[in-house]
Amino acid sequence: MSSLAAARADNFYYPPEWTPDQGSLNKFNGQHALRERARKLDQGILIIRFEMPYNIWCGGCNSMIAKGVRFNAEKKQVGNYYSTKIWSFTMKAACCRHEIVIQTDPKNCQYVIISGAQQKIEEYDNEDAETLALPVDEEKSKLSDPFYRLEHQEEDVKKKKEAEPVLVRLQRVSDARHADDYALNKALRSKLRTQKKRVSEEEAASRKMGIGIRLLPPSEEDTATASRIKFFSKFHKNQVEKRALIRSSSIFSNPSASTTKQLELASKRRKINAAAASNLLVGGFKPSTWARSAVSSGKKRI
């Protein structure tokens, strides 16, 4: 961004035709200080960034909109609770562009959904969540009664006596674990050194085997599984195939097979003699005494 553009963005650029008697730059340019956010200010509406106060279900597509999701909402005043203003926020869901309206509730200090959505009700069991139930407003008001407060205190004392052995045991365990910080730190550092040494040894062993990843330490289960697997070599495979071929063949001689081999040899010799004769006719080379004898012997054999 250039310096001129930066000055305009910060509203620090004053054009040459501007004079101080014309007022502010916004008045000179005929615009509001909030720019596009104040385009509906004549209707009492201001565009703000609204953050969803809790999880809700969208009324258009029934999708869940999580707590903390932000929207460009139209903010306007719809009433008063004594001297406190009641604000309404109108926004559109990103999932289906459904309109959602939420208002403030100063009486109960919370937000209320007017239309377009439904609050997701999330209830937890105190025992499952391992939490304590806080007293509600009705119990707080009852504590002003001396008799009710006395009964409540007796119940609290009874619960304390029941939970005291567990608390004492937990406190002893906590004290035993954190009694000597130096010994705990020493044991932890020793454990980390041993682990780093083991990792470096495994990486070195993997590099020696030409493997780019670190192998896990061997276990008894891996050893038993590997012992049950047998890999056959190529020599063993060829040996098995030859034995199977020998066992499947007949022990008696096959005259037809020998006759077929003789015919194949005779055809090869004819091809060789025909090639030599064609070279002689073309004049490729002069036949020697050895070549003549070989040709004559081949003819005699055929």
Side-chain angles (χ1 to χ4, degrees), residues 184-300:
L184 290 174
N185 191 9
K186 182 179 179 182
L188 180 61
R189 292 174 65 85
S190 176
K191 183 179 179 181
L192 290 176
R193 288 195 201 97
T194 306
Q195 185 178 359
K196 288 182 179 180
K197 184 178 180 181
R198 179 175 56 82
V199 170
S200 60
E201 291 177 354
E202 292 176 356
E203 290 178 351
S206 300
R207 285 194 297 268
K208 288 182 180 180
M209 292 186 291
I211 302 175
I213 58 175
R214 182 169 59 89
L215 298 178
L216 294 175
S219 61
E220 296 181 357
E221 184 179 358
D222 296 339
T223 305
T225 304
S227 62
R228 291 194 296 267
I229 299 174
K230 294 182 180 180
F231 297 95
F232 295 95
S233 62
K234 188 175 181 181
F235 173 77
H236 182 72
K237 184 179 179 181
N238 294 337
Q239 187 179 13
V240 171
E241 290 178 354
K242 288 181 180 179
R243 288 181 178 176
L245 182 61
I246 292 170
R247 290 173 182 174
S248 62
S249 61
S250 178
I251 59 175
F252 301 101
S253 60
N254 190 2
S256 61
S258 59
T259 307
T260 305
K261 290 183 179 179
Q262 291 178 0
L263 292 175
E264 290 178 356
L265 291 173
S267 63
K268 289 180 181 178
R269 288 169 184 167
R270 290 194 191 95
K271 290 179 182 179
I272 293 171
N273 294 333
S278 62
N279 288 330
L280 286 172
L281 293 173
V282 173
F285 61 90
K286 294 182 180 180
S288 61
T289 56
W290 179 82
R292 290 195 193 98
S293 63
V295 171
S296 60
S297 63
K299 289 180 179 179
K300 290 178 182 178

Side-chain angles (χ1 to χ4, degrees), residues 89-105:
F89 305 94
T90 304
M91 65 209 80
K92 290 186 178 180
C95 49
C96 62
R97 308 302 298 172
H98 185 71
E99 188 177 83
I100 301 173
V101 181
I102 298 178
Q103 288 185 5
T104 58
D105 186 6

Side-chain angles (χ1 to χ4, degrees), residues 11-15 18 23-31:
N11 207 15
F12 293 149
Y13 174 72
Y14 292 85
W18 176 84
S24 64
L25 286 176
N26 293 321
K27 185 177 180 182
F28 175 77
N29 294 324
Q31 63 185 8

Side-chain angles (χ1 to χ4, degrees), residues 111-163:
Y111 290 90
V112 180
I113 299 174
I114 303 301
S115 63
Q118 184 180 1
Q119 183 178 357
K120 183 181 179 183
I121 300 174
E122 298 177 346
E123 296 181 352
Y124 301 96
D125 190 6
N126 295 329
E127 295 181 0
D128 295 340
E130 297 181 357
T131 57
L132 297 176
L134 298 177
V136 296
D137 296 338
E138 295 180 358
E139 293 184 359
K140 289 181 180 179
S141 61
K142 289 180 180 179
L143 289 175
S144 59
D145 186 2
F147 293 99
Y148 181 82
R149 186 169 63 252
L150 181 60
E151 293 177 357
H152 195 275
Q153 290 177 354
E154 289 180 357
E155 291 180 359
D156 292 342
V157 171
K158 184 179 179 181
K159 290 181 181 179
K160 179 184 176 182
K161 290 181 179 179
E162 292 177 355

